[in-house]
Each structure stands twice: as structure tokens, then as C-alpha cells.
Amino acid sequence: MAGQADNRAPYAKIAAHYTELITSGQLEPGTLLPSIKNLAEEWKVSTATAEKALRKLRNEGLVRGIHGIGTEVLDQPAPMSSGSQRQDRGHRTGSSWGSGERSDSHQAAVVSAPADVAQALDIQPDSEVIRRSRVYRDRHGIVAHSTSWIPTRYGKLIPQLATSERLTGGTSLQLIAQATGHPISHRIDTASARLLTAEYARLLELDPEHPSTDPVVVMTAKFVDSQGNIVEYGVDVGGPGRTWRTESEVSS
């Protein structure tokens, strides 16, 4: 967030800088990164810190080291994000987009809740619910088709939830928390690999005559506020070949 102090370690700042350049396409596959010595001089850090930054990029699969040549940028589609990861990103930056991503095909409507959605939201089957959907893309194509299912009572507080446009003023979860005064307190995530169905192919804009043999990752996220109310149920269908990746610090 603008104006917020960046307390990350120097190696992490360097790695984050090049991650953004790589995932946004500003550094094309095959490009060589600066040498450890040049990185150290440019960022005014030790060579050990510069090497650690490059090692982080290698561990993340963004670059590879070529003996006697240097560190080369790899061509690899960005992984899809879980609902909770997009929530975290939205909280930090105000946008659920990942590096190099954009979203389009924003649609919203009040519809009858399918059985699985009704169960997730703890409402009666066929009750009215707001369905918001959008498609996340990067330079390789569709990252994921994302659908948010929201109880209609929140649409009365926030009319734009039911309009087919990108939300302004924050994510749906941020807007709901602001309107109710109840922050999101916890979330429940699931992830599973599934065979590509005709419906998934439609959502991912794939040719039904030539279906992919790769499985798709389907991720769900249920968000609960501090009063125990289920405020949103999200379903993300990842494009074929996309993977779910997460990273966390491990203390010894």
C-alpha cells in the first residue's frame, strides 16, 4: 500500500522487484538477469544478499542458473491464487490481481442458489443470491474463472454488488465489512483436481471439440465475519496446466 513502510529483508525486496518484472512480461523469457556482483552494486547490498535473492527466484521457478552464462528468465504461466490469497492481496493492495494479471468479463445477477452454494452459505436451496463472476488472465491466457456467491441482504446495503462492473472502493469483502462494521474473522479453503467438464470448458473459453486432457484445479473459499455470518462463498476454476502455489515462512 502506498506510503507503507517496506520491512522486508533486502534479498526479499530484490526478489520481489524481479518477480514483478518477470510475471508482468517486462522481462521476457531468455533474458539474463544482472550478475551477483552487479546486483550487489546496484542495490548496495552484499554479494551474499544478492545471491540469496537469485536463489529465491530460482526456488520459485522464475529463473534458472546456466553455468558460465548467468541467470535466465524462464517462461512459465503464473499459478492461480486461492480465494484467501486474493483476499490477502486485496487487503494489502486494494486489488485482487496478481502480478501480470488483469480481469474482465465481469458479470453480476441475482439468481437462485444451486444446492452446493445454498449449503455453503447456509441458506435454503433456490433462495435468491448474488452471483458475481470474472475471468483472471495473464499473458499466457486464462488463469482462472472466479465466481463469488453473496447473500442478497448485502446487496441491499451495497447495490453495486449486483451490477456487472468491476467493484470500486475495494473488494466485495472489504465493502461488506465496511457496510456492516463486522470484519472478516476467518475463512475455510478447499482445493481439488477435477477432470475437465463441458461446463468448465465453457467457463475457461476452451474449444469443446478439442478438450484438454489436463485436469483443472477447483478452489473454494468460504468467508465468515466476526459475528459468525457467512458473507461470501467463492469458487475458482483454474485453467488447464495451472497450479496452486503457496509460500510461508517456517521457523526453526
Side-chain angles (χ1 to χ4, degrees):
M1 206 173 287
Q4 187 172 5
D6 188 344
N7 296 319
R8 291 174 297 181
Y11 84 90
K13 294 179 185 179
I14 299 170
H17 171 76
Y18 282 100
T19 295
E20 172 64 27
L21 294 179
I22 293 169
T23 57
S24 66
Q26 296 179 64
L27 285 180
E28 297 181 352
T31 302
L32 293 179
L33 297 189
S35 67
I36 292 175
K37 179 182 178 181
N38 288 341
L39 272 181
E41 292 176 349
E42 178 183 351
W43 289 81
K44 296 180 173 57
V45 297
S46 67
T47 55
T49 295
E51 200 283 326
K52 189 174 182 180
L54 292 181
R55 184 165 65 247
K56 179 173 173 60
L57 294 173
R58 292 197 300 271
N59 290 342
E60 292 178 353
L62 296 172
V63 302
R64 66 170 179 169
I66 304 177
H67 183 69
I69 297 178
T71 302
E72 179 187 49
V73 174
L74 294 175
D75 186 18
Q76 182 176 334
M80 65 177 292
S81 302
S82 67
S84 57
Q85 288 169 321
R86 292 195 184 281
Q87 181 205 17
D88 290 340
R89 189 182 297 135
H91 180 72
R92 293 193 311 270
T93 69
S95 172
S96 61
W97 294 348
S99 296
E101 285 185 356
R102 66 186 189 282
S103 63
D104 57 33
S105 304
H106 291 258
Q107 297 183 2
V110 176
V111 301
S112 296
D116 61 322
V117 172
Q119 181 177 9
L121 292 176
D122 195 23
I123 60 177
Q124 292 297 316
D126 296 324
S127 297
E128 287 192 337
V129 65
I130 298 172
R131 179 186 65 204
R132 293 189 57 81
S133 64
R134 81 289 295 166
V135 175
Y136 290 97
R137 307 177 193 269
D138 64 10
R139 69 183 187 278
H140 294 276
I142 290 182
V143 177
H145 181 281
S146 181
T147 305
S148 299
W149 302 88
I150 304 169
T152 52
R153 64 180 179 273
Y154 298 115
K156 296 176 182 178
L157 295 173
I158 313 162
Q160 70 165 315
L161 289 177
T163 61
S164 295
E165 298 176 356
R166 280 192 62 204
L167 296 176
T168 58
T171 65
S172 56
L173 292 169
Q174 290 173 318
L175 294 173
I176 291 171
Q178 292 168 6
T180 62
H182 305 315
I184 303 301
S185 61
H186 66 281
R187 62 211 182 194
I188 303 166
D189 294 277
T190 71
S192 60
R194 302 183 190 178
L195 295 176
L196 184 69
T197 65
E199 175 62 10
Y200 291 158
R202 182 186 70 80
L203 295 177
L204 298 172
E205 303 172 9
L206 300 174
D207 183 357
E209 301 298 323
H210 301 88
S212 171
T213 57
D214 291 331
V216 295
V217 177
V218 177
M219 310 188 74
T220 71
K222 184 161 60 175
F223 299 92
V224 184
D225 70 13
S226 57
Q227 300 300 303
N229 301 306
I230 302 170
V231 301
E232 185 172 314
Y233 175 62
V235 180
D236 282 41
V237 181
R242 299 283 177 167
T243 58
W244 174 44
R245 178 180 177 277
T246 184
E247 178 180 345
S248 59
E249 297 292 333
V250 178
S251 57
S252 56

